[in-house]
Amino acid sequence: GVRRRDLDVASMRLTQLELQVFVDGEPLREGRINLLGSHGTDHGGRPFGTMHLLKLDREGRLRQPVFGGEFSCHVYADDDLLWFTPAFLVPAVGEHRQTLHVQRATLTLRVRTPAGLPAAGVPLRLDRPGNHLPPTDAEGRTTHAAVAAGRYRLQAMPRSLGTQQAQAAHANVHGWAAMHAAWLDVATIDVLPG
């Protein structure tokens, strides 16, 4: 027989996003951004996301139709990834204006085990997929000189899933949704300008 499914399509409506990006108080003239969106899950329970590589105009602006959801940006200048931005919400209806005031910051972290020893090789990210930091070194440290100042959720991947091979094996058994869910919230951190 035919099975009927009700679909919630509220997040599938397009919103006209008008975005303007400032870096250290100046418009990011003709810069590029990678706009990363998270829109819930698809019918199979997998995270549904979008990615748009977009160019800003001479005033640091762009207009782009997007699905409603939670967004962050990777900001580029001269083809180099410069900053991640904190997340922002876009409603699933009409038009939405968003201004990002990015202040450059350098993030240095030291990760320790529960026993107080340096935690080497730990995959880390800020807030969401795509905002990956370099894995920790032998001293448990990582530094990223291209982060936007702001508040972030710091997340770590369990050591057992620290390699691409281990992640692929886990995803093959449990699915990619389980892989995305494997990230652990470690702390909320404030990254200060400078």
Side-chain angles (χ1 to χ4, degrees):
V2 176
R3 288 179 27 189
R4 179 184 162 163
R5 291 189 180 184
D6 293 326
L7 297 175
D8 178 7
V9 295
S11 67
M12 300 309 291
R13 295 186 187 123
L14 288 174
T15 298
Q16 186 66 33
L17 174 64
E18 183 177 311
L19 180 67
Q20 186 170 22
V21 180
F22 291 86
V23 176
D24 295 330
E26 296 292 323
L28 183 60
R29 300 178 197 287
E30 299 183 3
R32 291 184 308 117
I33 65 165
N34 191 359
L35 184 63
L36 305 169
S38 177
H39 313 286
T41 57
D42 68 12
H43 66 280
R46 293 178 300 267
F48 169 60
T50 55
M51 179 172 48
H52 304 275
L53 186 57
L54 304 166
K55 184 168 173 116
L56 303 168
D57 68 15
R58 293 186 327 193
E59 300 301 318
R61 292 188 174 139
L62 65 81
R63 288 182 58 83
Q64 175 71 28
V66 297
F67 295 119
E70 185 178 47
F71 289 84
S72 67
C73 295
H74 293 172
V75 178
Y76 296 84
D78 301 322
D79 294 326
D80 292 324
L81 174 61
L82 298 180
W83 310 282
F84 302 132
T85 64
F88 60 92
L89 295 176
V90 174
V93 63
E95 294 190 10
H96 180 74
R97 288 188 178 151
Q98 182 74 41
T99 303
L100 295 178
H101 293 276
V102 179
Q103 293 180 286
R104 295 179 234 211
T106 297
L107 175 63
T108 300
L109 298 169
R110 186 167 54 183
V111 180
R112 298 207 174 270
T113 68
L117 301 172
V122 177
L124 298 168
R125 74 178 185 187
L126 300 177
D127 281 336
R128 59 194 312 102
N131 285 351
H132 294 272
L133 300 171
T136 56
D137 64 15
E139 298 298 317
R141 292 191 175 124
T142 186
T143 298
H144 197 295
V147 178
R151 177 166 282 188
Y152 294 92
R153 231 177 30 249
L154 177 65
Q155 297 177 318
M157 179 62 69
R159 277 184 132 168
S160 62
L161 298 173
T163 66
Q164 287 183 346
Q165 182 180 9
Q167 291 173 17
H170 182 78
N172 285 337
V173 172
H174 303 287
W176 282 106
M179 189 65 240
H180 290 289
W183 286 93
L184 305 171
D185 287 341
V186 176
T188 299
I189 60 172
D190 291 314
V191 179
L192 303 176

